[in-house]
Amino acid sequence: MAAPRVVVEPAGRVCWDEPVRIAVHGLAPEQPVALRASLRDEKGALFRAHARYRADARGQLDLQRAPALGGSFAGLEPMGLVWALQPDRPFWRLLKRDVQTPLLLELEVLDGREPAGPGEPEGGRVLARAVHERHFMAAGVRRVPVREGRVRATLFLPPGSGPFPGIIDLYGGGGGLLEYRASLLSGKGFAVMALAYYNYDDLPKDMTILHLEYFEEAVSYLLRHPQVKGPGIGLLGLSKGGELCLSMASFLKGITTAVIINGSVANSTGTLCYKDETLPPVGINLNRVKMTKDGITDIVDIMMSPLEGPGQKSFIPVERSDTNFLFLVGQDDHNWKSEFYANEASKRLEAHGKAKPQIILYPEAGHNIDPPYFPLCKSFLNRFLGGCLWGGEPKAHAVAQVDAWKQIQTFFHRHLGGTEGTIPAKL
């Protein structure tokens, strides 16, 4: 009998947001096995997942047809070995900083007929092993660092001469420059600029004061670019980045459409300035901090309401915007009340005769709705409060990320034009 082997299809260059078919050939009929996946991030942190399976009558195992019988997940989950990856160190989130190199996923098949060795999650001897590369730039996508005036960013351009619909991509309160969502989205036919706004290069070290003129400069740069199709651009933002997209759409010209992922409708951190207008940060009340039974801090209630008292001065004036909005909301977001904020933005827009935004709710999804197959990071380390809850349940969060990614592409294609290059992700 041929030795067992792991087959991953397609065999060529696969991007992180694309599903693959994982199969094992050459097993004994009905053989019980354990599959183990492991991956090291750029800082050397180890992520692992495992599941038990049984081969079919011909000794074949195809994860698109065979349900997992337990482990990190159960049931029919063809991509479970990727989205269920969990770090060995607590509060560690899987990020990709250098998008020009892939992450390497090691897959191992262990004999389930043998007892597990010391420290083994399931199964015995390793029968087969394969390494699968998951990339962050589709073939032909170009990465262009941007240092223009004050703007510090990276622009990703699809293959060809364009012009392409333009999008500015903003991440949350961690600062720095994260490129992985922009690089993946560019593979779908968009010119996407990942924009840093603090704690990067020569930008301010904190968010004490943010000037919207900086973001205006980025919009102008993108609209002037010969490979970007006007007359307006799109915005994509998560968390604080989503809140900044809401502010940009409210104060600045040239923005046609915006996707807000778990953003706030009130200015949350630091003072936001534009010309002679100022939005103060909405207050917080640390007496509202709660603790979970696991000793994790839950901060979901600490932000004051933007509907009453001094909080009203922090409400972003969305009614000034003619932008098409899509709000993507994780209903188990414990960073802040994303569903409440999306609904309040919608009420304010409608009260001023503006188009009702599209709101998509994801039950049991947490705060960081990333591109497909990024594992859920349920809690994070806050330097003042220790471990804090972001929320989410792994399977529901994985489902949300696959759907959100399709919704984002469809929304931008509809409102910015361009040819659909959507590769449907599946779980």
PDB file of all heavy atoms in Angstrom, residues 338-370:
ATOM      1  N   SER A 338     -21.123  48.333  19.193  1.00  0.00           N
ATOM      2  CA  SER A 338     -21.136  48.562  17.739  1.00  0.00           C
ATOM      3  C   SER A 338     -22.536  48.560  17.131  1.00  0.00           C
ATOM      4  O   SER A 338     -22.825  49.351  16.239  1.00  0.00           O
ATOM      5  CB  SER A 338     -20.290  47.496  17.036  1.00  0.00           C
ATOM      6  OG  SER A 338     -18.968  47.606  17.453  1.00  0.00           O
ATOM      7  N   GLU A 339     -23.399  47.664  17.609  1.00  0.00           N
ATOM      8  CA  GLU A 339     -24.745  47.594  17.035  1.00  0.00           C
ATOM      9  C   GLU A 339     -25.530  48.867  17.360  1.00  0.00           C
ATOM     10  O   GLU A 339     -26.193  49.447  16.497  1.00  0.00           O
ATOM     11  CB  GLU A 339     -25.480  46.364  17.574  1.00  0.00           C
ATOM     12  CG  GLU A 339     -26.833  46.153  16.916  1.00  0.00           C
ATOM     13  CD  GLU A 339     -27.523  44.864  17.346  1.00  0.00           C
ATOM     14  OE1 GLU A 339     -26.924  44.041  18.072  1.00  0.00           O
ATOM     15  OE2 GLU A 339     -28.697  44.685  16.945  1.00  0.00           O
ATOM     16  N   PHE A 340     -25.426  49.328  18.594  1.00  0.00           N
ATOM     17  CA  PHE A 340     -26.072  50.584  19.013  1.00  0.00           C
ATOM     18  C   PHE A 340     -25.552  51.751  18.160  1.00  0.00           C
ATOM     19  O   PHE A 340     -26.332  52.575  17.674  1.00  0.00           O
ATOM     20  CB  PHE A 340     -25.794  50.802  20.504  1.00  0.00           C
ATOM     21  CG  PHE A 340     -26.115  52.180  21.020  1.00  0.00           C
ATOM     22  CD1 PHE A 340     -27.427  52.584  21.180  1.00  0.00           C
ATOM     23  CD2 PHE A 340     -25.098  53.062  21.353  1.00  0.00           C
ATOM     24  CE1 PHE A 340     -27.731  53.862  21.662  1.00  0.00           C
ATOM     25  CE2 PHE A 340     -25.389  54.335  21.833  1.00  0.00           C
ATOM     26  CZ  PHE A 340     -26.703  54.732  21.982  1.00  0.00           C
ATOM     27  N   TYR A 341     -24.233  51.808  17.947  1.00  0.00           N
ATOM     28  CA  TYR A 341     -23.648  52.917  17.167  1.00  0.00           C
ATOM     29  C   TYR A 341     -24.129  52.896  15.719  1.00  0.00           C
ATOM     30  O   TYR A 341     -24.464  53.936  15.154  1.00  0.00           O
ATOM     31  CB  TYR A 341     -22.115  52.855  17.199  1.00  0.00           C
ATOM     32  CG  TYR A 341     -21.518  53.040  18.571  1.00  0.00           C
ATOM     33  CD1 TYR A 341     -20.371  52.358  18.956  1.00  0.00           C
ATOM     34  CD2 TYR A 341     -22.098  53.907  19.494  1.00  0.00           C
ATOM     35  CE1 TYR A 341     -19.818  52.520  20.212  1.00  0.00           C
ATOM     36  CE2 TYR A 341     -21.559  54.073  20.758  1.00  0.00           C
ATOM     37  CZ  TYR A 341     -20.414  53.382  21.118  1.00  0.00           C
ATOM     38  OH  TYR A 341     -19.871  53.543  22.368  1.00  0.00           O
ATOM     39  N   ALA A 342     -24.186  51.708  15.104  1.00  0.00           N
ATOM     40  CA  ALA A 342     -24.649  51.614  13.714  1.00  0.00           C
ATOM     41  C   ALA A 342     -26.097  52.082  13.609  1.00  0.00           C
ATOM     42  O   ALA A 342     -26.470  52.826  12.693  1.00  0.00           O
ATOM     43  CB  ALA A 342     -24.509  50.174  13.213  1.00  0.00           C
ATOM     44  N   ASN A 343     -26.927  51.670  14.578  1.00  0.00           N
ATOM     45  CA  ASN A 343     -28.335  52.073  14.565  1.00  0.00           C
ATOM     46  C   ASN A 343     -28.497  53.573  14.777  1.00  0.00           C
ATOM     47  O   ASN A 343     -29.353  54.206  14.151  1.00  0.00           O
ATOM     48  CB  ASN A 343     -29.123  51.291  15.627  1.00  0.00           C
ATOM     49  CG  ASN A 343     -29.317  49.833  15.222  1.00  0.00           C
ATOM     50  OD1 ASN A 343     -29.407  49.524  14.047  1.00  0.00           O
ATOM     51  ND2 ASN A 343     -29.364  48.939  16.199  1.00  0.00           N
ATOM     52  N   GLU A 344     -27.674  54.157  15.657  1.00  0.00           N
ATOM     53  CA  GLU A 344     -27.769  55.609  15.900  1.00  0.00           C
ATOM     54  C   GLU A 344     -27.319  56.399  14.670  1.00  0.00           C
ATOM     55  O   GLU A 344     -27.908  57.433  14.344  1.00  0.00           O
ATOM     56  CB  GLU A 344     -26.949  56.003  17.141  1.00  0.00           C
ATOM     57  CG  GLU A 344     -27.574  55.544  18.455  1.00  0.00           C
ATOM     58  CD  GLU A 344     -29.039  55.962  18.622  1.00  0.00           C
ATOM     59  OE1 GLU A 344     -29.396  57.102  18.264  1.00  0.00           O
ATOM     60  OE2 GLU A 344     -29.847  55.124  19.087  1.00  0.00           O
ATOM     61  N   ALA A 345     -26.284  55.916  13.987  1.00  0.00           N
ATOM     62  CA  ALA A 345     -25.850  56.582  12.750  1.00  0.00           C
ATOM     63  C   ALA A 345     -26.971  56.538  11.722  1.00  0.00           C
ATOM     64  O   ALA A 345     -27.264  57.532  11.050  1.00  0.00           O
ATOM     65  CB  ALA A 345     -24.597  55.904  12.204  1.00  0.00           C
ATOM     66  N   SER A 346     -27.622  55.376  11.621  1.00  0.00           N
ATOM     67  CA  SER A 346     -28.723  55.198  10.670  1.00  0.00           C
ATOM     68  C   SER A 346     -29.879  56.149  10.985  1.00  0.00           C
ATOM     69  O   SER A 346     -30.425  56.814  10.098  1.00  0.00           O
ATOM     70  CB  SER A 346     -29.196  53.742  10.716  1.00  0.00           C
ATOM     71  OG  SER A 346     -30.246  53.537   9.807  1.00  0.00           O
ATOM     72  N   LYS A 347     -30.239  56.234  12.286  1.00  0.00           N
ATOM     73  CA  LYS A 347     -31.336  57.142  12.695  1.00  0.00           C
ATOM     74  C   LYS A 347     -31.011  58.591  12.355  1.00  0.00           C
ATOM     75  O   LYS A 347     -31.864  59.333  11.859  1.00  0.00           O
ATOM     76  CB  LYS A 347     -31.557  57.029  14.210  1.00  0.00           C
ATOM     77  CG  LYS A 347     -32.310  55.791  14.653  1.00  0.00           C
ATOM     78  CD  LYS A 347     -32.505  55.859  16.164  1.00  0.00           C
ATOM     79  CE  LYS A 347     -32.704  54.483  16.769  1.00  0.00           C
ATOM     80  NZ  LYS A 347     -32.596  54.529  18.236  1.00  0.00           N
ATOM     81  N   ARG A 348     -29.775  59.000  12.627  1.00  0.00           N
ATOM     82  CA  ARG A 348     -29.369  60.383  12.365  1.00  0.00           C
ATOM     83  C   ARG A 348     -29.415  60.677  10.867  1.00  0.00           C
ATOM     84  O   ARG A 348     -29.892  61.740  10.446  1.00  0.00           O
ATOM     85  CB  ARG A 348     -27.957  60.598  12.945  1.00  0.00           C
ATOM     86  CG  ARG A 348     -27.336  61.965  12.673  1.00  0.00           C
ATOM     87  CD  ARG A 348     -27.892  63.083  13.546  1.00  0.00           C
ATOM     88  NE  ARG A 348     -27.533  62.964  14.942  1.00  0.00           N
ATOM     89  CZ  ARG A 348     -26.561  63.665  15.563  1.00  0.00           C
ATOM     90  NH1 ARG A 348     -25.813  64.514  14.862  1.00  0.00           N
ATOM     91  NH2 ARG A 348     -26.353  63.531  16.846  1.00  0.00           N
ATOM     92  N   LEU A 349     -28.930  59.745  10.048  1.00  0.00           N
ATOM     93  CA  LEU A 349     -28.950  59.943   8.592  1.00  0.00           C
ATOM     94  C   LEU A 349     -30.385  60.059   8.077  1.00  0.00           C
ATOM     95  O   LEU A 349     -30.714  60.984   7.327  1.00  0.00           O
ATOM     96  CB  LEU A 349     -28.225  58.784   7.890  1.00  0.00           C
ATOM     97  CG  LEU A 349     -26.692  58.819   7.971  1.00  0.00           C
ATOM     98  CD1 LEU A 349     -26.107  57.441   7.701  1.00  0.00           C
ATOM     99  CD2 LEU A 349     -26.117  59.840   6.983  1.00  0.00           C
ATOM    100  N   GLU A 350     -31.241  59.134   8.516  1.00  0.00           N
ATOM    101  CA  GLU A 350     -32.639  59.146   8.049  1.00  0.00           C
ATOM    102  C   GLU A 350     -33.392  60.390   8.508  1.00  0.00           C
ATOM    103  O   GLU A 350     -34.196  60.950   7.767  1.00  0.00           O
ATOM    104  CB  GLU A 350     -33.350  57.882   8.525  1.00  0.00           C
ATOM    105  CG  GLU A 350     -32.971  56.650   7.713  1.00  0.00           C
ATOM    106  CD  GLU A 350     -33.914  55.501   7.987  1.00  0.00           C
ATOM    107  OE1 GLU A 350     -33.680  54.784   8.988  1.00  0.00           O
ATOM    108  OE2 GLU A 350     -34.883  55.346   7.223  1.00  0.00           O
ATOM    109  N   ALA A 351     -33.109  60.825   9.733  1.00  0.00           N
ATOM    110  CA  ALA A 351     -33.784  62.027  10.264  1.00  0.00           C
ATOM    111  C   ALA A 351     -33.449  63.261   9.436  1.00  0.00           C
ATOM    112  O   ALA A 351     -34.211  64.229   9.414  1.00  0.00           O
ATOM    113  CB  ALA A 351     -33.373  62.250  11.722  1.00  0.00           C
ATOM    114  N   HIS A 352     -32.300  63.215   8.745  1.00  0.00           N
ATOM    115  CA  HIS A 352     -31.899  64.353   7.906  1.00  0.00           C
ATOM    116  C   HIS A 352     -32.118  64.069   6.424  1.00  0.00           C
ATOM    117  O   HIS A 352     -31.504  64.706   5.561  1.00  0.00           O
ATOM    118  CB  HIS A 352     -30.435  64.713   8.187  1.00  0.00           C
ATOM    119  CG  HIS A 352     -30.243  65.390   9.506  1.00  0.00           C
ATOM    120  ND1 HIS A 352     -30.177  64.688  10.693  1.00  0.00           N
ATOM    121  CD2 HIS A 352     -30.140  66.709   9.836  1.00  0.00           C
ATOM    122  CE1 HIS A 352     -30.015  65.538  11.700  1.00  0.00           C
ATOM    123  NE2 HIS A 352     -30.000  66.763  11.211  1.00  0.00           N
ATOM    124  N   GLY A 353     -32.986  63.085   6.127  1.00  0.00           N
ATOM    125  CA  GLY A 353     -33.376  62.841   4.739  1.00  0.00           C
ATOM    126  C   GLY A 353     -32.320  62.150   3.903  1.00  0.00           C
ATOM    127  O   GLY A 353     -32.393  62.145   2.676  1.00  0.00           O
ATOM    128  N   LYS A 354     -31.330  61.556   4.557  1.00  0.00           N
ATOM    129  CA  LYS A 354     -30.277  60.858   3.811  1.00  0.00           C
ATOM    130  C   LYS A 354     -30.661  59.381   3.611  1.00  0.00           C
ATOM    131  O   LYS A 354     -31.532  58.860   4.313  1.00  0.00           O
ATOM    132  CB  LYS A 354     -28.934  60.946   4.564  1.00  0.00           C
ATOM    133  CG  LYS A 354     -28.437  62.385   4.760  1.00  0.00           C
ATOM    134  CD  LYS A 354     -28.161  63.056   3.423  1.00  0.00           C
ATOM    135  CE  LYS A 354     -27.918  64.553   3.540  1.00  0.00           C
ATOM    136  NZ  LYS A 354     -26.534  64.891   3.827  1.00  0.00           N
ATOM    137  N   ALA A 355     -29.972  58.741   2.669  1.00  0.00           N
ATOM    138  CA  ALA A 355     -30.267  57.331   2.376  1.00  0.00           C
ATOM    139  C   ALA A 355     -29.998  56.470   3.608  1.00  0.00           C
ATOM    140  O   ALA A 355     -29.021  56.685   4.332  1.00  0.00           O
ATOM    141  CB  ALA A 355     -29.406  56.866   1.208  1.00  0.00           C
ATOM    142  N   LYS A 356     -30.879  55.511   3.832  1.00  0.00           N
ATOM    143  CA  LYS A 356     -30.701  54.582   4.953  1.00  0.00           C
ATOM    144  C   LYS A 356     -29.485  53.696   4.671  1.00  0.00           C
ATOM    145  O   LYS A 356     -29.390  53.096   3.611  1.00  0.00           O
ATOM    146  CB  LYS A 356     -31.960  53.722   5.090  1.00  0.00           C
ATOM    147  CG  LYS A 356     -31.964  52.786   6.300  1.00  0.00           C
ATOM    148  CD  LYS A 356     -33.290  52.044   6.366  1.00  0.00           C
ATOM    149  CE  LYS A 356     -33.268  50.951   7.432  1.00  0.00           C
ATOM    150  NZ  LYS A 356     -33.161  51.469   8.786  1.00  0.00           N
ATOM    151  N   PRO A 357     -28.548  53.623   5.607  1.00  0.00           N
ATOM    152  CA  PRO A 357     -27.387  52.777   5.339  1.00  0.00           C
ATOM    153  C   PRO A 357     -27.747  51.297   5.438  1.00  0.00           C
ATOM    154  O   PRO A 357     -28.737  50.926   6.073  1.00  0.00           O
ATOM    155  CB  PRO A 357     -26.414  53.162   6.455  1.00  0.00           C
ATOM    156  CG  PRO A 357     -27.261  53.671   7.557  1.00  0.00           C
ATOM    157  CD  PRO A 357     -28.470  54.282   6.921  1.00  0.00           C
ATOM    158  N   GLN A 358     -26.934  50.472   4.824  1.00  0.00           N
ATOM    159  CA  GLN A 358     -27.099  49.024   4.958  1.00  0.00           C
ATOM    160  C   GLN A 358     -26.387  48.594   6.247  1.00  0.00           C
ATOM    161  O   GLN A 358     -25.242  48.987   6.484  1.00  0.00           O
ATOM    162  CB  GLN A 358     -26.480  48.331   3.737  1.00  0.00           C
ATOM    163  CG  GLN A 358     -26.763  46.838   3.671  1.00  0.00           C
ATOM    164  CD  GLN A 358     -26.135  46.187   2.439  1.00  0.00           C
ATOM    165  OE1 GLN A 358     -25.595  46.854   1.561  1.00  0.00           O
ATOM    166  NE2 GLN A 358     -26.191  44.875   2.391  1.00  0.00           N
ATOM    167  N   ILE A 359     -27.073  47.815   7.076  1.00  0.00           N
ATOM    168  CA  ILE A 359     -26.468  47.297   8.308  1.00  0.00           C
ATOM    169  C   ILE A 359     -26.580  45.769   8.272  1.00  0.00           C
ATOM    170  O   ILE A 359     -27.667  45.233   8.070  1.00  0.00           O
ATOM    171  CB  ILE A 359     -27.176  47.837   9.576  1.00  0.00           C
ATOM    172  CG1 ILE A 359     -27.087  49.364   9.635  1.00  0.00           C
ATOM    173  CG2 ILE A 359     -26.575  47.220  10.839  1.00  0.00           C
ATOM    174  CD1 ILE A 359     -27.846  49.989  10.808  1.00  0.00           C
ATOM    175  N   ILE A 360     -25.452  45.092   8.428  1.00  0.00           N
ATOM    176  CA  ILE A 360     -25.462  43.622   8.476  1.00  0.00           C
ATOM    177  C   ILE A 360     -24.975  43.197   9.853  1.00  0.00           C
ATOM    178  O   ILE A 360     -23.892  43.595  10.289  1.00  0.00           O
ATOM    179  CB  ILE A 360     -24.582  43.007   7.364  1.00  0.00           C
ATOM    180  CG1 ILE A 360     -25.100  43.446   5.983  1.00  0.00           C
ATOM    181  CG2 ILE A 360     -24.582  41.478   7.469  1.00  0.00           C
ATOM    182  CD1 ILE A 360     -24.254  42.975   4.817  1.00  0.00           C
ATOM    183  N   LEU A 361     -25.814  42.409  10.537  1.00  0.00           N
ATOM    184  CA  LEU A 361     -25.508  41.956  11.899  1.00  0.00           C
ATOM    185  C   LEU A 361     -24.996  40.514  11.858  1.00  0.00           C
ATOM    186  O   LEU A 361     -25.564  39.670  11.166  1.00  0.00           O
ATOM    187  CB  LEU A 361     -26.758  42.023  12.779  1.00  0.00           C
ATOM    188  CG  LEU A 361     -27.466  43.380  12.870  1.00  0.00           C
ATOM    189  CD1 LEU A 361     -28.747  43.251  13.681  1.00  0.00           C
ATOM    190  CD2 LEU A 361     -26.546  44.435  13.487  1.00  0.00           C
ATOM    191  N   TYR A 362     -23.937  40.262  12.613  1.00  0.00           N
ATOM    192  CA  TYR A 362     -23.366  38.917  12.693  1.00  0.00           C
ATOM    193  C   TYR A 362     -23.464  38.394  14.124  1.00  0.00           C
ATOM    194  O   TYR A 362     -22.713  38.823  14.997  1.00  0.00           O
ATOM    195  CB  TYR A 362     -21.907  38.921  12.226  1.00  0.00           C
ATOM    196  CG  TYR A 362     -21.775  39.235  10.751  1.00  0.00           C
ATOM    197  CD1 TYR A 362     -21.252  40.455  10.319  1.00  0.00           C
ATOM    198  CD2 TYR A 362     -22.189  38.324   9.785  1.00  0.00           C
ATOM    199  CE1 TYR A 362     -21.139  40.745   8.966  1.00  0.00           C
ATOM    200  CE2 TYR A 362     -22.083  38.609   8.426  1.00  0.00           C
ATOM    201  CZ  TYR A 362     -21.556  39.818   8.027  1.00  0.00           C
ATOM    202  OH  TYR A 362     -21.454  40.103   6.688  1.00  0.00           O
ATOM    203  N   PRO A 363     -24.414  37.466  14.385  1.00  0.00           N
ATOM    204  CA  PRO A 363     -24.565  36.918  15.731  1.00  0.00           C
ATOM    205  C   PRO A 363     -23.278  36.215  16.180  1.00  0.00           C
ATOM    206  O   PRO A 363     -22.640  35.523  15.394  1.00  0.00           O
ATOM    207  CB  PRO A 363     -25.702  35.892  15.595  1.00  0.00           C
ATOM    208  CG  PRO A 363     -26.361  36.188  14.285  1.00  0.00           C
ATOM    209  CD  PRO A 363     -25.336  36.849  13.424  1.00  0.00           C
ATOM    210  N   GLU A 364     -22.902  36.443  17.429  1.00  0.00           N
ATOM    211  CA  GLU A 364     -21.752  35.784  18.074  1.00  0.00           C
ATOM    212  C   GLU A 364     -20.405  36.104  17.427  1.00  0.00           C
ATOM    213  O   GLU A 364     -19.414  35.440  17.697  1.00  0.00           O
ATOM    214  CB  GLU A 364     -21.941  34.256  18.139  1.00  0.00           C
ATOM    215  CG  GLU A 364     -23.133  33.842  18.992  1.00  0.00           C
ATOM    216  CD  GLU A 364     -23.185  32.345  19.192  1.00  0.00           C
ATOM    217  OE1 GLU A 364     -23.064  31.586  18.209  1.00  0.00           O
ATOM    218  OE2 GLU A 364     -23.336  31.922  20.350  1.00  0.00           O
ATOM    219  N   ALA A 365     -20.363  37.129  16.551  1.00  0.00           N
ATOM    220  CA  ALA A 365     -19.064  37.573  16.031  1.00  0.00           C
ATOM    221  C   ALA A 365     -18.508  38.638  16.965  1.00  0.00           C
ATOM    222  O   ALA A 365     -19.259  39.411  17.558  1.00  0.00           O
ATOM    223  CB  ALA A 365     -19.220  38.133  14.620  1.00  0.00           C
ATOM    224  N   GLY A 366     -17.189  38.669  17.096  1.00  0.00           N
ATOM    225  CA  GLY A 366     -16.540  39.600  18.006  1.00  0.00           C
ATOM    226  C   GLY A 366     -16.137  40.899  17.328  1.00  0.00           C
ATOM    227  O   GLY A 366     -16.694  41.282  16.300  1.00  0.00           O
ATOM    228  N   HIS A 367     -15.121  41.567  17.886  1.00  0.00           N
ATOM    229  CA  HIS A 367     -14.759  42.924  17.460  1.00  0.00           C
ATOM    230  C   HIS A 367     -13.968  42.944  16.153  1.00  0.00           C
ATOM    231  O   HIS A 367     -14.285  43.706  15.253  1.00  0.00           O
ATOM    232  CB  HIS A 367     -13.958  43.599  18.582  1.00  0.00           C
ATOM    233  CG  HIS A 367     -13.635  45.032  18.300  1.00  0.00           C
ATOM    234  ND1 HIS A 367     -14.616  45.994  18.115  1.00  0.00           N
ATOM    235  CD2 HIS A 367     -12.448  45.676  18.170  1.00  0.00           C
ATOM    236  CE1 HIS A 367     -14.043  47.170  17.893  1.00  0.00           C
ATOM    237  NE2 HIS A 367     -12.731  47.007  17.910  1.00  0.00           N
ATOM    238  N   ASN A 368     -12.934  42.127  16.066  1.00  0.00           N
ATOM    239  CA  ASN A 368     -12.041  42.197  14.898  1.00  0.00           C
ATOM    240  C   ASN A 368     -12.535  41.305  13.771  1.00  0.00           C
ATOM    241  O   ASN A 368     -12.115  40.161  13.651  1.00  0.00           O
ATOM    242  CB  ASN A 368     -10.620  41.782  15.284  1.00  0.00           C
ATOM    243  CG  ASN A 368      -9.959  42.813  16.166  1.00  0.00           C
ATOM    244  OD1 ASN A 368      -9.953  43.994  15.861  1.00  0.00           O
ATOM    245  ND2 ASN A 368      -9.421  42.367  17.280  1.00  0.00           N
ATOM    246  N   ILE A 369     -13.424  41.828  12.941  1.00  0.00           N
ATOM    247  CA  ILE A 369     -13.874  41.067  11.771  1.00  0.00           C
ATOM    248  C   ILE A 369     -12.851  41.315  10.666  1.00  0.00           C
ATOM    249  O   ILE A 369     -12.792  42.384  10.075  1.00  0.00           O
ATOM    250  CB  ILE A 369     -15.308  41.471  11.369  1.00  0.00           C
ATOM    251  CG1 ILE A 369     -16.289  41.099  12.500  1.00  0.00           C
ATOM    252  CG2 ILE A 369     -15.706  40.799  10.061  1.00  0.00           C
ATOM    253  CD1 ILE A 369     -17.731  41.496  12.260  1.00  0.00           C
ATOM    254  N   ASP A 370     -12.009  40.302  10.450  1.00  0.00           N
ATOM    255  CA  ASP A 370     -10.875  40.380   9.541  1.00  0.00           C
ATOM    256  C   ASP A 370     -11.218  39.654   8.236  1.00  0.00           C
ATOM    257  O   ASP A 370     -12.296  39.079   8.114  1.00  0.00           O
ATOM    258  CB  ASP A 370      -9.670  39.712  10.222  1.00  0.00           C
ATOM    259  CG  ASP A 370      -8.616  40.721  10.680  1.00  0.00           C
ATOM    260  OD1 ASP A 370      -8.445  41.731   9.980  1.00  0.00           O
ATOM    261  OD2 ASP A 370      -7.958  40.480  11.709  1.00  0.00           O
TER     262      ASP A 370
END
